Amino acid sequence: ELLGAEAASALLRLSVLSAYLPASGQLLSAAEAVEAVSGTGKYSDAEAEIFSNIALLPCDGLIIAADFDASASGVEGGFEPVLYPAEDTRALLGLCQSRPPAPRVLNIPCGCGVLGLAALKYHAEHVLFVDASARAQSFARFSCHLNGLADKAAFLQLDLASPTPLAAFGGPGPF
């Protein structure tokens, strides 16, 4: 009711939100959840509970978006979760503040984008966020927008484990 059926349906399809039936504990598929919200399926909006799959976290003066539950990949039909910054990442954040200015920074793999965002905040004019995961790219892009840094960011979905990752840059391969 808060978002409206159209917005809730879009967020359910994107896996930003999920729905379950509290009476049975059954997790609904995205399609079933959209049908419940729109009143066209076998479950009603009143039966289904909707919850967020993402978390917005403060980190070094930035707001970072990440998956709320790191165990989502274990759920049937799950996805590879985009994790929130761990202790090793937080330690690297301290180094970002003391770096000299840089015209360009490459953030590989970018994950939720926290290191690239910190580079933009402290010393970089532009950051290229690279990750094999489309979901990670989406979270990094969203985090850039949340922090007003999207105009200084570019994104590239690239699997560096592929035989010819430099082909995306026009370079030689395989290694």
Side-chain angles (χ1 to χ4, degrees):
E1 292 176 17
L2 176 66
L3 297 173
E6 186 177 339
S9 294
L11 294 172
L12 286 161
R13 279 191 294 277
L14 293 169
S15 297
V16 172
L17 300 176
S18 288
Y20 77 105
L21 302 174
S24 65
Q26 177 187 350
L27 184 65
L28 299 179
S29 70
E32 291 171 326
V34 168
E35 289 174 354
V37 168
S38 62
T40 61
K42 61 182 176 180
Y43 306 110
S44 72
D45 187 29
E47 292 177 280
E49 291 285 330
I50 297 175
F51 60 94
S52 175
N53 290 324
I54 67 168
L56 298 178
L57 309 159
C59 189
D60 197 41
L62 298 163
I63 300 172
I64 306 301
D67 277 307
F68 185 78
D69 184 1
S71 64
S73 59
V75 176
E76 183 180 330
F79 47 84
E80 185 69 29
V82 177
L83 305 177
Y84 57 89
E87 291 303 314
D88 57 343
T89 302
R90 290 179 184 271
L92 289 172
L93 287 172
L95 299 174
C96 287
Q97 297 176 26
S98 62
R99 302 292 305 169
R104 291 181 201 89
V105 170
L106 192 58
N107 186 190
I108 302 176
C110 67
C112 66
V114 65
L115 293 175
L117 284 163
L120 285 171
K121 178 180 176 182
Y122 293 112
H123 64 86
E125 294 175 26
H126 188 269
V127 171
L128 176 59
F129 294 85
V130 179
D131 206 295
S133 165
R135 188 168 181 82
Q137 289 276 296
S138 295
F139 274 96
R141 183 177 282 109
F142 182 56
S143 293
C144 284
H145 283 282
L146 281 174
N147 291 283
L149 299 168
D151 60 329
K152 296 179 169 189
F155 303 88
L156 177 63
Q157 186 177 352
L158 177 66
D159 183 0
L160 294 175
S162 70
T164 56
L166 285 182
F169 297 101
F175 300 112

